[in-house]
Amino acid sequence: GLAYDSSSGTTYTLKETKAPDGYVKSDATYSFTIAADGSVGAISSTDSSQTVPGNKITNAKAITALPKTGAWWTPQRVEIIGLGLVGLSGLGYGITLILKKRSGTRIPAIR
């Protein structure tokens, strides 16, 4: 749907100004020519690392998180273990209080 000169063709230049969400913005400038007969020539890039196979410009996805490596000591597991230990300590203290109360031993005040 781009206009072109039917006598000599027209060259277009494409520069990405904003990448779609989740993708990396390309700094390369692409150019292509629409020939006089309406056919599109090969797309070329000013960046030698950017190739355009099949005349299709591809977008690179952004990496927003580090890959999960399968580490066992995740923050969630450490938190669960910590809460479990606190719970066991409280349970042990409660059992100790009950046993001392039943035996008639005086329980010292907590300050």
Side-chain angles (χ1 to χ4, degrees), residues 30 43 49-58:
Y30 301 94
I43 299 174
S49 68
Q50 296 282 337
T51 59
V52 189
N55 270 359
K56 292 184 180 179
I57 300 170
T58 57

Side-chain angles (χ1 to χ4, degrees), residues 51-111:
T51 59
V52 189
N55 270 359
K56 292 184 180 179
I57 300 170
T58 57
N59 289 325
K61 286 195 174 194
I63 299 174
T64 57
L66 293 176
K68 299 188 185 303
T69 60
W72 193 87
W73 288 102
T74 62
Q76 293 83 9
R77 286 189 179 163
V78 171
E79 184 178 332
I80 290 169
I81 290 169
L83 289 173
L85 291 174
V86 169
L88 285 174
S89 298
L91 183 63
Y93 182 71
I95 291 172
T96 303
L97 288 178
I98 291 171
L99 292 176
K100 283 185 178 185
K101 190 173 186 180
R102 284 188 182 171
S103 67
T105 308
R106 186 176 166 156
I107 301 170
I110 299 175
R111 295 178 187 219

Side-chain angles (χ1 to χ4, degrees), residues 5-18:
D5 185 350
S6 58
S7 61
S8 64
T10 305
T11 300
Y12 284 95
T13 302
L14 174 73
K15 175 83 173 157
E16 188 171 33
T17 58
K18 181 181 176 193

